[in-house]
Amino acid sequence: MKPILRTLIAAAFFAAGIAQAQVTVEDAWVRATVPQQRATGAFMKLNAAKDTRLVSATSPAAPVVEVHEMALQDNVMRMRQVPAVELPAGKAVELKPGGYHIMLMDLPKQVKAGDTVPLTLVFEGKDGKRESLEVQAPVRALNSSTQPAGQGAHKH
Ligand SMILES: [Cu+2]
C-alpha cells in the first residue's frame, strides 16, 4: 500500500471515531402512567467510552426532568434528585426501577404503552465539556416484568 493511501484510511478512521458518541444507550424505556399520574421514570443502560457523568436530561413530554436516585432509607424506599450519575469508562451503569432513574414530572398528559418518549441526555466529561445525546424511549406498561417490589413508594 502506498503511504498516501494509508494516511487517508487512517484519517477516515480517526474522523469516524470522533463522530461516534462517547456514551451508548441500550434498552431505554419509560414506564406508562395511569390517568392523573403526573410523574414517571425513564430507565436505560448506559455505557461510556471514557469517564463521564449524566448531569441532566430534557424531554418534550415533560416540562420538568430530573436525575433521581432511589435508595432504602430507614427501611423505606425514597428517591431524591442527584447532581449526576457517574459513568466510569467501559463500565455499564443501569438506570432501573429501585435505583437511578430519569424522572419525568408535571406530565401534561398520560404516557401510554406503545408511545415513544424522546429524551435528550446531557453528559459532562472530566474536562467539563458537555455532550448531548438523543434517545427514543418506548413506553412500557405499568406492570412491566422488570419491575421489582417496592415500587409503590415511587410517587411524588
Ligand atoms: Cu424519581
Side-chain angles (χ1 to χ4, degrees):
M1 195 183 284
K2 284 175 183 152
I4 181 71
L5 185 57
R6 198 177 301 156
T7 305
L8 281 173
I9 290 169
F13 187 76
F14 185 66
I18 291 287
Q20 215 165 42
Q22 296 294 332
V23 181
T24 54
V25 178
E26 281 179 281
D27 301 335
W29 65 283
V30 170
R31 186 185 293 140
T33 61
V34 294
Q36 316 307 326
Q37 188 182 342
R38 301 301 304 277
T40 191
F43 311 94
M44 65 198 68
K45 290 183 188 119
L46 297 167
N47 209 319
K50 59 180 187 181
D51 289 352
T52 188
R53 55 216 298 256
L54 171 68
V55 290
S56 65
T58 54
S59 173
V64 180
V65 182
E66 294 179 352
V67 180
H68 277 195
E69 179 185 26
M70 189 170 222
L72 203 58
Q73 207 177 58
D74 302 327
N75 289 320
V76 181
M77 286 298 273
R78 293 182 193 280
M79 63 178 175
R80 63 188 179 100
Q81 190 176 7
V82 290
V85 176
E86 296 296 331
L87 304 173
K91 190 170 175 282
V93 174
E94 196 173 354
L95 273 54
K96 60 185 177 191
Y100 288 119
H101 55 279
I102 291 166
M103 199 80 198
L104 305 171
M105 296 156 75
D106 294 344
L107 294 168
K109 58 176 186 164
Q110 192 179 357
V111 178
K112 293 177 179 163
D115 288 357
T116 299
V117 174
L119 294 166
T120 302
L121 310 177
V122 180
F123 302 99
E124 188 181 87
K126 288 264 188 253
D127 54 6
K129 265 195 192 157
R130 291 197 168 194
E131 178 188 351
S132 63
L133 185 65
E134 305 276 340
V135 177
Q136 300 294 326
V139 178
R140 287 196 211 153
L142 192 64
N143 297 314
S144 171
S145 58
T146 55
Q147 188 175 332
Q151 284 300 300
H154 193 271
K155 276 177 189 153
H156 278 269

